[in-house]
Amino acid sequence: QAAAPDFGMLHMAAEEPQPTRLVLHDGVATIILNRPKERNSLSAALLDSLCDNLEACMSDCAVRLIVLTNEGGTFCAGADLKNSGGPPRRSLPELLMLLRQGPKVVIGRINGHCVGGGVGIAAACDISVISSSATVAFAEVRLGVAPAIISVVCLPKLRRGDAAELMLSGERITADRAAAIGLLNHSVHPSELDAKVEELIGKLLLGGPNALAATKALLHDVPGMPVDEAFRWTSEVSARCFQSQEAADGITALMRRKDPPWVPARPRL
């Protein structure tokens, strides 16, 4: 069993469980929301720890991919309504930006219910797989508030009609429906959750690290650009990619009918 790597940014308070845990194995960093008794609500400690660990993973060359998951039956219940632990150093917008704009691909392994801010975190992952036994809810209006910050990452994924119904009603929906409307990618039986995540990891590890980072940037930036600006910028991205050593290695490997150097010796797929 792999031990948690020493990134220097992990919270190491031995007297109480850490708000998030981090394990690195074969280039895949798994970050685990670790406040199950509090339904992994976004306390100051959890928000700070999660941002710190994500930032460390995004800048560590040993990390190829990130899996974000949870302990307990709730992935994340959203805001910490008890306001425990004082003000956070980091913010929810900062967390969502790290997920969307960081260079490493993030797979959400959503093994429990998602509410409020938890829905935004799941939606901000590049690819999210949710257990079909879980439910999803934009519950903010039922508390007298609005799903304001998370709307930035959720609205682009939804038809206006679906967004209006779910955000205005606060209705709790099934994981299957959340996947069907495009909020998340896949809903699978709980017994198939790990297999689906491993399948995605295996596919993603076949891609060049820099190519994945460039493609993630395209997915984030191109939709908001004017067409002429998009063509200028993507032409520059394409040129940099084709001129890179990674592309030379990939093309050479294709010609020689062998795996490029970034593919694991024993690929997970």
Side-chain angles (χ1 to χ4, degrees), residues 67-231:
V67 175
L68 180 60
T69 189
N70 59 286
E71 289 283 0
T74 299
F75 173 72
C76 178
D80 177 19
L81 301 180
K82 296 178 181 178
N83 293 317
S84 56
R89 292 180 290 105
R90 318 298 287 261
S91 67
L92 181 57
E94 187 176 1
L95 168 59
L96 299 177
M97 291 282 280
L98 276 169
L99 290 168
R100 281 168 57 86
Q101 296 187 340
K104 309 292 173 65
V105 176
V106 182
I107 299 173
R109 178 186 177 275
I110 314 302
N111 193 25
H113 306 302
C114 289
V115 183
V119 182
I121 294 171
C125 294
D126 297 297
I127 305 172
S128 285
V129 185
I130 186 170
S131 167
S132 61
S133 64
T135 58
V136 175
F138 295 99
E140 287 86 350
V141 293
R142 298 189 180 189
L143 300 176
V145 295
I149 292 171
I150 64 171
S151 70
V152 177
V153 295
C154 292
L155 288 178
K157 307 187 80 168
L158 296 171
R159 295 184 309 138
R160 190 185 185 283
D162 290 324
E165 178 185 357
L166 298 180
M167 290 185 175
L168 292 172
S169 72
E171 175 189 5
R172 187 176 293 269
I173 63 171
T174 65
D176 287 349
R177 186 177 178 199
I181 63 177
L183 185 60
L184 306 175
N185 293 83
H186 304 280
S187 172
V188 299
H189 190 274
S191 64
E192 300 172 358
L193 183 62
D194 287 334
K196 186 63 181 180
V197 171
E198 282 297 320
E199 175 191 336
L200 291 167
I201 289 171
K203 291 177 178 178
L204 291 165
L205 289 176
L206 299 177
N210 295 327
L212 288 173
T215 302
K216 182 171 176 176
L218 294 173
L219 290 167
H220 179 267
D221 293 342
V222 169
M225 289 183 175
V227 173
D228 55 347
E229 180 184 346
F231 277 128

